[in-house]
Amino acid sequence: MEINLPSYEIKLREKDGKREIFDFLRRRYVALTPEEWVRQHFVHYLVEHKGYPKGLLANELELRIGEKRLRCDTILYNNVLQPRMIIEYKAPDVSITQRVFNQISSYNMLLHADYLVVSNGLQHHCCQIDQTQHSYQFLHDIPDYNAL
């Protein structure tokens, strides 16, 4: 599956007739879906090319709003475990639309992160949130960790 992210040493296996990919953040194999393919490449990109500390990233985090459960694809925390960045992935054949931004914005109503990122592996969008001004600005690139 062609995507617009650097390759890395991918660990795949087949179990019970299903393909799985190793998630180095969760330290286990997970079902290989097109979205998971994007997630694994993107997280490796952040760690290996952008300097993000592996220990401050978490995949598939569940949020609860009353009885409703939401699942964030990836969250970057700061050193005191406050969310800094929320990342939402889609399969490469899924367009990045306003609906995707609405989805990640709803997560941010709970988490108050400074950055929101969406990627389908082909297109990557990052916006910086100014919590005090209640505004946002789209960035040209995913920032290096030391620039956050």
Side-chain angles (χ1 to χ4, degrees), residues 8-21:
Y8 69 97
E9 193 175 318
I10 302 164
K11 295 180 184 175
L12 298 173
R13 76 176 185 188
E14 194 161 315
K15 185 176 180 185
D16 300 326
K18 296 183 179 161
R19 295 190 71 193
E20 295 181 327
I21 189 167

Side-chain angles (χ1 to χ4, degrees), residues 36 44 46 62 83 110 113:
E36 193 63 47
H44 278 271
L46 292 177
E62 186 173 270
L110 293 171

